[in-house]
Amino acid sequence: MEPQTQEASNSQRHTSDQNVHNVSDHMDEDVTSDAVDMDQYRINSWEDIGKIDFSSLSMKNICQLHFADLGLAFEFYNSYAKTRGFSVRKSRSIIVDGKVREKTYVCSCEGYRLEKWNHMKNRVREPKPETRCGCMSKLHVFFDAVTESWVVRDFCDEHNHELVVLKLARMLRSHKKMTEPDISQMNHMKEVGISMPNIFGSLASQCGGYENVNFSIKDMHNQVAKQRRQLPDDLTSAMAYLETLAARDQNLFYSVEKGREGVFRQIFWCDGRCQLDYDLFGDVLAFDATYKKNRYRLLVVIFSGVNHHNQTVVFGAAIVSNERKSTYVWLLKQLLIAMKGKTPTSVITDGHHSMVIAIQEVFPNAHHRLCAWHLMRNATSNIHKPQFTKMFTKLMLGNYEVGVFEQKWEEMVGFFGVEDREWIVDMYEKRNMWATAHIRGKFFAGFRTTSRCESLHAVLKRYIKSRYDLTEFVQHFQRCLSYMRHREDLADFKSSTGQPVMQTHFQQLERCQNFTSLT
């Protein structure tokens, strides 16, 4: 092999150099055949490397060393380099019969950068500083079949560049390393939503300062990226995580729909607690779509309601690729399957056309109410008259009889001359979905708007970042649910301890009101 020939010639050329020491010469001069003397130069473990005083280590001592394996040889040279202020890397190997028999470790400044990297016409990134300057420093070892160890053949410690001061040596490439405990701690802190800078600061505090940390924030990001590359594709990984949850929660339900060629379309999931909450509080269902909650910018749909403490409770969640009618039909059918066929009495949405059609198809007996806040915003954007929006809101929320409502509607649209506007005609046809006069007697659990959905989205922002992939989204969404359920537990505790203090003269009425709010 050509590299082997070149390596052999390099070895012969540098053996004659005065800065290169041959191990056999020193063995003849200083080392006896006594096995005890030989053992003092043998490196059997990383613990042996940790015991070496590199400040007093001579070149003669280094040339007498032999190592139990190649990894120890590299670790020794790298540790030595750190005390001197340079970085190392692995170079050529000589292979015989398919096995490595000789290995060279060199200074990171060995060789020169290829010219093609200096003259790139389509360069995007700023070029990195040139670090290679032809340094000849190296450690060359070979396998000795007699002692079954790796013996130092050549060692050169002459550098043609300035060495780094010791306090900065930890920043050199071969010395930046995250240990397994560091990686484990980073992953645990990352799972609970702590940012990388804060994780780095915490690790630095544990080490006694940033100067004692042997890696940077960029190294942490690189480690996270490496872990992602080792995992299967994102959707498979997300499903594997849900399978892990299902092993602990036998009632967990999830469903995935793929398009042609296995392309992801949507995923729906809900755990056993979601199903229990729906069984108790699922008479009123609110759902809305939000954007930019994941790295793919897919839509997130959350089904929610209200519990006995007037707190928002989640019944299920989904990530979808579009807002077509078929998508919402699929989602509602999955919800129906997960909830053992129980349908809601009332549904409140923002009035998206695809939602309306899907609800009519899947929940034909549920009363669909449109969000009051979205209607007020639409009134402003369609009519462009603040006074009209004010009158429309009063008419929408006012507790009128049907006849009074019809009269006031005619007066309002006539006063503003908007009888023929398309939005006005559409709203009148849908008055059974938004006017209090026409929905009197229907149960909505206090819902008038999807504001609870909006507030839920605000809570999600504290747990979910836009850079999260599907797996991370599901993980942190479940963490958000755990917090919400913790708040419900706190409310249960408060309601079961002590008695409320009456604050009015109508104590019997107030006591009944307090009891109703607690139950």
Side-chain angles (χ1 to χ4, degrees), residues 395-436:
L395 190 59
M396 173 175 56
L397 302 179
N399 192 18
Y400 302 116
E401 295 294 334
V402 174
V404 176
F405 170 84
E406 298 292 337
Q407 178 183 351
K408 288 185 174 293
W409 176 266
E410 293 293 335
E411 293 175 353
M412 180 182 68
V413 298
F415 178 79
F416 289 99
V418 293
E419 300 93 333
D420 299 328
R421 293 284 186 93
E422 182 179 354
W423 184 81
I424 293 293
V425 174
D426 183 56
M427 283 297 98
Y428 184 74
E429 291 178 351
K430 296 179 179 178
R431 60 191 182 278
N432 289 327
M433 301 172 66
W434 57 268
T436 302

mmCIF file of all heavy atoms in Angstrom, residues 395-436:
data_model
loop_
_atom_site.group_PDB
_atom_site.id
_atom_site.type_symbol
_atom_site.label_atom_id
_atom_site.label_comp_id
_atom_site.label_asym_id
_atom_site.label_seq_id
_atom_site.Cartn_x
_atom_site.Cartn_y
_atom_site.Cartn_z
ATOM 1 N N LEU A 395 -75.430 42.623 20.640
ATOM 2 C CA LEU A 395 -76.496 41.769 20.131
ATOM 3 C C LEU A 395 -76.133 40.290 20.268
ATOM 4 O O LEU A 395 -76.989 39.443 20.539
ATOM 5 C CB LEU A 395 -76.760 42.108 18.657
ATOM 6 C CG LEU A 395 -77.999 41.480 18.002
ATOM 7 C CD1 LEU A 395 -79.275 41.881 18.737
ATOM 8 C CD2 LEU A 395 -78.085 41.896 16.543
ATOM 9 N N MET A 396 -74.875 39.965 20.118
ATOM 10 C CA MET A 396 -74.421 38.576 20.199
ATOM 11 C C MET A 396 -74.517 38.050 21.636
ATOM 12 O O MET A 396 -74.960 36.918 21.858
ATOM 13 C CB MET A 396 -72.972 38.475 19.702
ATOM 14 C CG MET A 396 -72.333 37.104 19.885
ATOM 15 S SD MET A 396 -70.682 36.987 19.159
ATOM 16 C CE MET A 396 -69.830 38.329 19.971
ATOM 17 N N LEU A 397 -74.112 38.850 22.602
ATOM 18 C CA LEU A 397 -74.046 38.396 23.988
ATOM 19 C C LEU A 397 -75.275 38.747 24.808
ATOM 20 O O LEU A 397 -75.444 38.250 25.921
ATOM 21 C CB LEU A 397 -72.797 38.980 24.665
ATOM 22 C CG LEU A 397 -71.446 38.641 23.995
ATOM 23 C CD1 LEU A 397 -70.310 39.306 24.752
ATOM 24 C CD2 LEU A 397 -71.239 37.136 23.912
ATOM 25 N N GLY A 398 -76.138 39.630 24.288
ATOM 26 C CA GLY A 398 -77.317 40.064 25.029
ATOM 27 C C GLY A 398 -78.332 38.951 25.215
ATOM 28 O O GLY A 398 -78.569 38.134 24.308
ATOM 29 N N ASN A 399 -78.963 38.922 26.384
ATOM 30 C CA ASN A 399 -79.927 37.876 26.708
ATOM 31 C C ASN A 399 -81.322 38.289 26.234
ATOM 32 O O ASN A 399 -82.226 38.577 27.018
ATOM 33 C CB ASN A 399 -79.914 37.623 28.215
ATOM 34 C CG ASN A 399 -80.680 36.362 28.580
ATOM 35 O OD1 ASN A 399 -80.929 35.501 27.728
ATOM 36 N ND2 ASN A 399 -81.070 36.255 29.832
ATOM 37 N N TYR A 400 -81.500 38.316 24.900
ATOM 38 C CA TYR A 400 -82.765 38.751 24.307
ATOM 39 C C TYR A 400 -83.639 37.551 23.962
ATOM 40 O O TYR A 400 -83.154 36.434 23.749
ATOM 41 C CB TYR A 400 -82.516 39.557 23.033
ATOM 42 C CG TYR A 400 -81.652 40.787 23.223
ATOM 43 C CD1 TYR A 400 -80.406 40.877 22.598
ATOM 44 C CD2 TYR A 400 -82.090 41.861 24.003
ATOM 45 C CE1 TYR A 400 -79.616 42.000 22.755
ATOM 46 C CE2 TYR A 400 -81.302 42.989 24.160
ATOM 47 C CZ TYR A 400 -80.067 43.053 23.538
ATOM 48 O OH TYR A 400 -79.286 44.168 23.701
ATOM 49 N N GLU A 401 -84.925 37.837 23.862
ATOM 50 C CA GLU A 401 -85.820 36.858 23.269
ATOM 51 C C GLU A 401 -85.565 36.829 21.766
ATOM 52 O O GLU A 401 -85.029 37.780 21.193
ATOM 53 C CB GLU A 401 -87.278 37.220 23.547
ATOM 54 C CG GLU A 401 -87.656 37.157 25.014
ATOM 55 C CD GLU A 401 -87.605 35.740 25.562
ATOM 56 O OE1 GLU A 401 -87.769 34.786 24.750
ATOM 57 O OE2 GLU A 401 -87.400 35.577 26.785
ATOM 58 N N VAL A 402 -85.994 35.745 21.111
ATOM 59 C CA VAL A 402 -85.711 35.590 19.688
ATOM 60 C C VAL A 402 -86.328 36.723 18.876
ATOM 61 O O VAL A 402 -85.701 37.292 17.973
ATOM 62 C CB VAL A 402 -86.234 34.231 19.185
ATOM 63 C CG1 VAL A 402 -86.080 34.128 17.673
ATOM 64 C CG2 VAL A 402 -85.504 33.088 19.872
ATOM 65 N N GLY A 403 -87.581 37.108 19.210
ATOM 66 C CA GLY A 403 -88.231 38.186 18.465
ATOM 67 C C GLY A 403 -87.508 39.509 18.601
ATOM 68 O O GLY A 403 -87.352 40.265 17.629
ATOM 69 N N VAL A 404 -87.052 39.817 19.837
ATOM 70 C CA VAL A 404 -86.305 41.062 20.064
ATOM 71 C C VAL A 404 -84.987 41.035 19.298
ATOM 72 O O VAL A 404 -84.566 42.055 18.729
ATOM 73 C CB VAL A 404 -86.064 41.257 21.567
ATOM 74 C CG1 VAL A 404 -85.206 42.495 21.833
ATOM 75 C CG2 VAL A 404 -87.384 41.337 22.321
ATOM 76 N N PHE A 405 -84.328 39.888 19.281
ATOM 77 C CA PHE A 405 -83.072 39.764 18.541
ATOM 78 C C PHE A 405 -83.285 40.059 17.054
ATOM 79 O O PHE A 405 -82.503 40.800 16.437
ATOM 80 C CB PHE A 405 -82.492 38.360 18.720
ATOM 81 C CG PHE A 405 -81.323 38.054 17.816
ATOM 82 C CD1 PHE A 405 -80.038 38.437 18.165
ATOM 83 C CD2 PHE A 405 -81.531 37.400 16.601
ATOM 84 C CE1 PHE A 405 -78.970 38.165 17.325
ATOM 85 C CE2 PHE A 405 -80.458 37.129 15.753
ATOM 86 C CZ PHE A 405 -79.178 37.513 16.115
ATOM 87 N N GLU A 406 -84.328 39.466 16.468
ATOM 88 C CA GLU A 406 -84.587 39.668 15.042
ATOM 89 C C GLU A 406 -84.829 41.146 14.743
ATOM 90 O O GLU A 406 -84.344 41.687 13.729
ATOM 91 C CB GLU A 406 -85.791 38.825 14.611
ATOM 92 C CG GLU A 406 -85.612 37.317 14.774
ATOM 93 C CD GLU A 406 -84.578 36.753 13.819
ATOM 94 O OE1 GLU A 406 -84.315 37.387 12.771
ATOM 95 O OE2 GLU A 406 -84.008 35.686 14.129
ATOM 96 N N GLN A 407 -85.576 41.799 15.620
ATOM 97 C CA GLN A 407 -85.866 43.221 15.426
ATOM 98 C C GLN A 407 -84.594 44.062 15.496
ATOM 99 O O GLN A 407 -84.358 44.926 14.646
ATOM 100 C CB GLN A 407 -86.878 43.694 16.472
ATOM 101 C CG GLN A 407 -87.210 45.179 16.380
ATOM 102 C CD GLN A 407 -88.148 45.611 17.486
ATOM 103 O OE1 GLN A 407 -88.695 44.782 18.229
ATOM 104 N NE2 GLN A 407 -88.354 46.915 17.612
ATOM 105 N N LYS A 408 -83.776 43.828 16.499
ATOM 106 C CA LYS A 408 -82.548 44.597 16.658
ATOM 107 C C LYS A 408 -81.567 44.319 15.526
ATOM 108 O O LYS A 408 -80.786 45.188 15.123
ATOM 109 C CB LYS A 408 -81.902 44.291 18.012
ATOM 110 C CG LYS A 408 -82.672 44.880 19.201
ATOM 111 C CD LYS A 408 -81.932 44.656 20.503
ATOM 112 C CE LYS A 408 -82.635 45.369 21.659
ATOM 113 N NZ LYS A 408 -82.574 46.841 21.515
ATOM 114 N N TRP A 409 -81.550 43.092 15.031
ATOM 115 C CA TRP A 409 -80.679 42.773 13.899
ATOM 116 C C TRP A 409 -81.062 43.580 12.667
ATOM 117 O O TRP A 409 -80.199 44.161 11.992
ATOM 118 C CB TRP A 409 -80.738 41.278 13.606
ATOM 119 C CG TRP A 409 -79.937 40.856 12.396
ATOM 120 C CD1 TRP A 409 -80.409 40.725 11.128
ATOM 121 C CD2 TRP A 409 -78.543 40.548 12.355
ATOM 122 N NE1 TRP A 409 -79.402 40.348 10.281
ATOM 123 C CE2 TRP A 409 -78.244 40.224 11.014
ATOM 124 C CE3 TRP A 409 -77.543 40.500 13.304
ATOM 125 C CZ2 TRP A 409 -76.954 39.861 10.611
ATOM 126 C CZ3 TRP A 409 -76.260 40.132 12.897
ATOM 127 C CH2 TRP A 409 -75.976 39.831 11.566
ATOM 128 N N GLU A 410 -82.360 43.612 12.378
ATOM 129 C CA GLU A 410 -82.833 44.386 11.228
ATOM 130 C C GLU A 410 -82.481 45.867 11.380
ATOM 131 O O GLU A 410 -82.071 46.533 10.423
ATOM 132 C CB GLU A 410 -84.345 44.219 11.065
ATOM 133 C CG GLU A 410 -84.796 42.811 10.674
ATOM 134 C CD GLU A 410 -84.344 42.431 9.278
ATOM 135 O OE1 GLU A 410 -84.124 43.342 8.443
ATOM 136 O OE2 GLU A 410 -84.205 41.222 9.016
ATOM 137 N N GLU A 411 -82.650 46.390 12.586
ATOM 138 C CA GLU A 411 -82.335 47.794 12.825
ATOM 139 C C GLU A 411 -80.832 48.055 12.638
ATOM 140 O O GLU A 411 -80.440 49.083 12.072
ATOM 141 C CB GLU A 411 -82.761 48.194 14.242
ATOM 142 C CG GLU A 411 -84.276 48.183 14.457
ATOM 143 C CD GLU A 411 -84.648 48.454 15.905
ATOM 144 O OE1 GLU A 411 -83.709 48.521 16.753
ATOM 145 O OE2 GLU A 411 -85.858 48.557 16.204
ATOM 146 N N MET A 412 -80.010 47.152 13.097
ATOM 147 C CA MET A 412 -78.554 47.363 13.021
ATOM 148 C C MET A 412 -78.065 47.335 11.572
ATOM 149 O O MET A 412 -77.351 48.254 11.142
ATOM 150 C CB MET A 412 -77.841 46.282 13.825
ATOM 151 C CG MET A 412 -76.320 46.395 13.823
ATOM 152 S SD MET A 412 -75.504 45.057 14.733
ATOM 153 C CE MET A 412 -75.877 43.671 13.652
ATOM 154 N N VAL A 413 -78.436 46.305 10.829
ATOM 155 C CA VAL A 413 -77.932 46.207 9.455
ATOM 156 C C VAL A 413 -78.533 47.297 8.574
ATOM 157 O O VAL A 413 -77.889 47.793 7.641
ATOM 158 C CB VAL A 413 -78.214 44.810 8.872
ATOM 159 C CG1 VAL A 413 -77.495 43.731 9.659
ATOM 160 C CG2 VAL A 413 -79.708 44.510 8.816
ATOM 161 N N GLY A 414 -79.777 47.722 8.890
ATOM 162 C CA GLY A 414 -80.362 48.819 8.130
ATOM 163 C C GLY A 414 -79.687 50.149 8.434
ATOM 164 O O GLY A 414 -79.464 50.971 7.534
ATOM 165 N N PHE A 415 -79.348 50.384 9.705
ATOM 166 C CA PHE A 415 -78.717 51.646 10.094
ATOM 167 C C PHE A 415 -77.358 51.810 9.413
ATOM 168 O O PHE A 415 -76.998 52.905 8.966
ATOM 169 C CB PHE A 415 -78.557 51.685 11.614
ATOM 170 C CG PHE A 415 -77.889 52.913 12.128
ATOM 171 C CD1 PHE A 415 -78.590 54.108 12.269
ATOM 172 C CD2 PHE A 415 -76.538 52.896 12.450
ATOM 173 C CE1 PHE A 415 -77.955 55.244 12.725
ATOM 174 C CE2 PHE A 415 -75.904 54.019 12.915
ATOM 175 C CZ PHE A 415 -76.610 55.213 13.052
ATOM 176 N N PHE A 416 -76.613 50.718 9.287
ATOM 177 C CA PHE A 416 -75.287 50.805 8.673
ATOM 178 C C PHE A 416 -75.310 50.475 7.175
ATOM 179 O O PHE A 416 -74.269 50.586 6.512
ATOM 180 C CB PHE A 416 -74.320 49.854 9.380
ATOM 181 C CG PHE A 416 -73.943 50.287 10.775
ATOM 182 C CD1 PHE A 416 -74.579 49.738 11.876
ATOM 183 C CD2 PHE A 416 -72.979 51.269 10.981
ATOM 184 C CE1 PHE A 416 -74.243 50.138 13.156
ATOM 185 C CE2 PHE A 416 -72.631 51.659 12.262
ATOM 186 C CZ PHE A 416 -73.276 51.108 13.360
ATOM 187 N N GLY A 417 -76.436 50.068 6.653
ATOM 188 C CA GLY A 417 -76.556 49.799 5.226
ATOM 189 C C GLY A 417 -75.701 48.640 4.752
ATOM 190 O O GLY A 417 -75.079 48.725 3.687
ATOM 191 N N VAL A 418 -75.700 47.569 5.534
ATOM 192 C CA VAL A 418 -74.835 46.431 5.182
ATOM 193 C C VAL A 418 -75.660 45.174 4.918
ATOM 194 O O VAL A 418 -75.150 44.052 5.037
ATOM 195 C CB VAL A 418 -73.812 46.170 6.317
ATOM 196 C CG1 VAL A 418 -72.823 47.314 6.427
ATOM 197 C CG2 VAL A 418 -74.526 45.945 7.659
ATOM 198 N N GLU A 419 -76.922 45.352 4.539
ATOM 199 C CA GLU A 419 -77.792 44.187 4.374
ATOM 200 C C GLU A 419 -77.278 43.199 3.348
ATOM 201 O O GLU A 419 -77.476 41.980 3.476
ATOM 202 C CB GLU A 419 -79.198 44.631 3.946
ATOM 203 C CG GLU A 419 -79.895 45.544 4.921
ATOM 204 C CD GLU A 419 -79.654 47.018 4.584
ATOM 205 O OE1 GLU A 419 -78.590 47.299 3.972
ATOM 206 O OE2 GLU A 419 -80.497 47.857 4.918
ATOM 207 N N ASP A 420 -76.612 43.722 2.305
ATOM 208 C CA ASP A 420 -76.196 42.854 1.203
ATOM 209 C C ASP A 420 -74.761 42.361 1.332
ATOM 210 O O ASP A 420 -74.258 41.674 0.434
ATOM 211 C CB ASP A 420 -76.359 43.591 -0.136
ATOM 212 C CG ASP A 420 -77.806 43.989 -0.396
ATOM 213 O OD1 ASP A 420 -78.697 43.242 0.049
ATOM 214 O OD2 ASP A 420 -78.039 45.030 -1.039
ATOM 215 N N ARG A 421 -74.101 42.715 2.404
ATOM 216 C CA ARG A 421 -72.720 42.245 2.583
ATOM 217 C C ARG A 421 -72.714 40.723 2.767
ATOM 218 O O ARG A 421 -73.542 40.162 3.493
ATOM 219 C CB ARG A 421 -72.085 42.897 3.811
ATOM 220 C CG ARG A 421 -71.872 44.398 3.689
ATOM 221 C CD ARG A 421 -70.664 44.702 2.792
ATOM 222 N NE ARG A 421 -70.378 46.127 2.793
ATOM 223 C CZ ARG A 421 -69.531 46.728 3.610
ATOM 224 N NH1 ARG A 421 -68.882 46.010 4.512
ATOM 225 N NH2 ARG A 421 -69.334 48.029 3.538
ATOM 226 N N GLU A 422 -71.750 40.051 2.120
ATOM 227 C CA GLU A 422 -71.679 38.587 2.178
ATOM 228 C C GLU A 422 -71.470 38.100 3.606
ATOM 229 O O GLU A 422 -72.079 37.103 4.022
ATOM 230 C CB GLU A 422 -70.539 38.093 1.286
ATOM 231 C CG GLU A 422 -70.416 36.585 1.242
ATOM 232 C CD GLU A 422 -69.291 36.122 0.325
ATOM 233 O OE1 GLU A 422 -68.686 36.983 -0.364
ATOM 234 O OE2 GLU A 422 -69.014 34.901 0.298
ATOM 235 N N TRP A 423 -70.618 38.776 4.369
ATOM 236 C CA TRP A 423 -70.353 38.338 5.739
ATOM 237 C C TRP A 423 -71.605 38.477 6.605
ATOM 238 O O TRP A 423 -71.894 37.617 7.441
ATOM 239 C CB TRP A 423 -69.206 39.169 6.330
ATOM 240 C CG TRP A 423 -68.796 38.716 7.702
ATOM 241 C CD1 TRP A 423 -67.979 37.673 8.006
ATOM 242 C CD2 TRP A 423 -69.226 39.274 8.949
ATOM 243 N NE1 TRP A 423 -67.852 37.540 9.370
ATOM 244 C CE2 TRP A 423 -68.604 38.520 9.989
ATOM 245 C CE3 TRP A 423 -70.053 40.337 9.309
ATOM 246 C CZ2 TRP A 423 -68.793 38.805 11.336
ATOM 247 C CZ3 TRP A 423 -70.236 40.624 10.658
ATOM 248 C CH2 TRP A 423 -69.619 39.863 11.649
ATOM 249 N N ILE A 424 -72.382 39.554 6.406
ATOM 250 C CA ILE A 424 -73.618 39.768 7.168
ATOM 251 C C ILE A 424 -74.622 38.660 6.874
ATOM 252 O O ILE A 424 -75.255 38.093 7.783
ATOM 253 C CB ILE A 424 -74.211 41.148 6.855
ATOM 254 C CG1 ILE A 424 -73.296 42.256 7.382
ATOM 255 C CG2 ILE A 424 -75.605 41.279 7.421
ATOM 256 C CD1 ILE A 424 -73.194 42.316 8.882
ATOM 257 N N VAL A 425 -74.785 38.326 5.593
ATOM 258 C CA VAL A 425 -75.724 37.273 5.202
ATOM 259 C C VAL A 425 -75.315 35.937 5.804
ATOM 260 O O VAL A 425 -76.138 35.178 6.332
ATOM 261 C CB VAL A 425 -75.811 37.175 3.668
ATOM 262 C CG1 VAL A 425 -76.679 35.984 3.249
ATOM 263 C CG2 VAL A 425 -76.345 38.466 3.072
ATOM 264 N N ASP A 426 -74.009 35.647 5.766
ATOM 265 C CA ASP A 426 -73.501 34.389 6.302
ATOM 266 C C ASP A 426 -73.708 34.314 7.818
ATOM 267 O O ASP A 426 -74.101 33.263 8.353
ATOM 268 C CB ASP A 426 -72.013 34.256 5.965
ATOM 269 C CG ASP A 426 -71.418 32.948 6.426
ATOM 270 O OD1 ASP A 426 -71.943 31.886 6.038
ATOM 271 O OD2 ASP A 426 -70.442 32.979 7.199
ATOM 272 N N MET A 427 -73.459 35.423 8.522
ATOM 273 C CA MET A 427 -73.625 35.430 9.975
ATOM 274 C C MET A 427 -75.094 35.242 10.376
ATOM 275 O O MET A 427 -75.396 34.572 11.365
ATOM 276 C CB MET A 427 -73.091 36.746 10.565
ATOM 277 C CG MET A 427 -71.570 36.821 10.654
ATOM 278 S SD MET A 427 -70.858 35.564 11.766
ATOM 279 C CE MET A 427 -70.377 34.295 10.590
ATOM 280 N N TYR A 428 -75.992 35.808 9.617
ATOM 281 C CA TYR A 428 -77.412 35.664 9.950
ATOM 282 C C TYR A 428 -77.856 34.211 9.755
ATOM 283 O O TYR A 428 -78.638 33.677 10.554
ATOM 284 C CB TYR A 428 -78.265 36.589 9.097
ATOM 285 C CG TYR A 428 -79.727 36.539 9.463
ATOM 286 C CD1 TYR A 428 -80.187 37.140 10.631
ATOM 287 C CD2 TYR A 428 -80.648 35.869 8.655
ATOM 288 C CE1 TYR A 428 -81.530 37.072 10.991
ATOM 289 C CE2 TYR A 428 -81.994 35.804 8.996
ATOM 290 C CZ TYR A 428 -82.426 36.413 10.168
ATOM 291 O OH TYR A 428 -83.756 36.348 10.513
ATOM 292 N N GLU A 429 -77.339 33.575 8.712
ATOM 293 C CA GLU A 429 -77.689 32.182 8.474
ATOM 294 C C GLU A 429 -77.135 31.274 9.584
ATOM 295 O O GLU A 429 -77.714 30.229 9.886
ATOM 296 C CB GLU A 429 -77.147 31.734 7.108
ATOM 297 C CG GLU A 429 -77.847 32.393 5.933
ATOM 298 C CD GLU A 429 -77.247 31.973 4.605
ATOM 299 O OE1 GLU A 429 -76.174 31.299 4.631
ATOM 300 O OE2 GLU A 429 -77.809 32.318 3.545
ATOM 301 N N LYS A 430 -76.031 31.688 10.205
ATOM 302 C CA LYS A 430 -75.398 30.892 11.259
ATOM 303 C C LYS A 430 -75.741 31.404 12.663
ATOM 304 O O LYS A 430 -75.038 31.079 13.618
ATOM 305 C CB LYS A 430 -73.869 30.910 11.085
ATOM 306 C CG LYS A 430 -73.370 30.250 9.808
ATOM 307 C CD LYS A 430 -71.852 30.348 9.719
ATOM 308 C CE LYS A 430 -71.338 29.668 8.470
ATOM 309 N NZ LYS A 430 -69.848 29.807 8.345
ATOM 310 N N ARG A 431 -76.824 32.194 12.789
ATOM 311 C CA ARG A 431 -77.127 32.809 14.087
ATOM 312 C C ARG A 431 -77.352 31.780 15.190
ATOM 313 O O ARG A 431 -77.166 32.070 16.371
ATOM 314 C CB ARG A 431 -78.346 33.724 13.957
ATOM 315 C CG ARG A 431 -79.624 33.028 13.489
ATOM 316 C CD ARG A 431 -80.688 34.065 13.139
ATOM 317 N NE ARG A 431 -81.953 33.473 12.734
ATOM 318 C CZ ARG A 431 -82.215 33.019 11.510
ATOM 319 N NH1 ARG A 431 -81.261 33.065 10.571
ATOM 320 N NH2 ARG A 431 -83.403 32.517 11.219
ATOM 321 N N ASN A 432 -77.720 30.546 14.822
ATOM 322 C CA ASN A 432 -77.898 29.491 15.825
ATOM 323 C C ASN A 432 -76.565 29.019 16.414
ATOM 324 O O ASN A 432 -76.551 28.231 17.359
ATOM 325 C CB ASN A 432 -78.617 28.289 15.211
ATOM 326 C CG ASN A 432 -80.078 28.584 14.920
ATOM 327 O OD1 ASN A 432 -80.719 29.347 15.631
ATOM 328 N ND2 ASN A 432 -80.605 27.981 13.868
ATOM 329 N N MET A 433 -75.450 29.524 15.848
ATOM 330 C CA MET A 433 -74.142 29.098 16.308
ATOM 331 C C MET A 433 -73.440 30.166 17.154
ATOM 332 O O MET A 433 -72.350 29.914 17.675
ATOM 333 C CB MET A 433 -73.238 28.727 15.112
ATOM 334 C CG MET A 433 -73.803 27.610 14.238
ATOM 335 S SD MET A 433 -72.843 27.338 12.723
ATOM 336 C CE MET A 433 -71.303 26.754 13.395
ATOM 337 N N TRP A 434 -74.059 31.353 17.293
ATOM 338 C CA TRP A 434 -73.347 32.391 18.041
ATOM 339 C C TRP A 434 -74.243 33.310 18.873
ATOM 340 O O TRP A 434 -73.803 33.869 19.878
ATOM 341 C CB TRP A 434 -72.503 33.253 17.099
ATOM 342 C CG TRP A 434 -73.286 33.908 15.978
ATOM 343 C CD1 TRP A 434 -73.493 33.411 14.729
ATOM 344 C CD2 TRP A 434 -73.952 35.167 16.015
ATOM 345 N NE1 TRP A 434 -74.244 34.264 13.969
ATOM 346 C CE2 TRP A 434 -74.528 35.378 14.742
ATOM 347 C CE3 TRP A 434 -74.122 36.154 16.979
ATOM 348 C CZ2 TRP A 434 -75.258 36.510 14.426
ATOM 349 C CZ3 TRP A 434 -74.850 37.294 16.654
ATOM 350 C CH2 TRP A 434 -75.404 37.458 15.398
ATOM 351 N N ALA A 435 -75.499 33.499 18.484
ATOM 352 C CA ALA A 435 -76.377 34.441 19.186
ATOM 353 C C ALA A 435 -76.942 33.808 20.451
ATOM 354 O O ALA A 435 -77.524 32.717 20.413
ATOM 355 C CB ALA A 435 -77.508 34.889 18.269
ATOM 356 N N THR A 436 -76.800 34.486 21.582
ATOM 357 C CA THR A 436 -77.307 33.980 22.861
ATOM 358 C C THR A 436 -78.806 33.721 22.795
ATOM 359 O O THR A 436 -79.317 32.765 23.388
ATOM 360 C CB THR A 436 -77.000 34.991 23.987
ATOM 361 O OG1 THR A 436 -75.588 35.202 24.048
ATOM 362 C CG2 THR A 436 -77.493 34.479 25.330
#
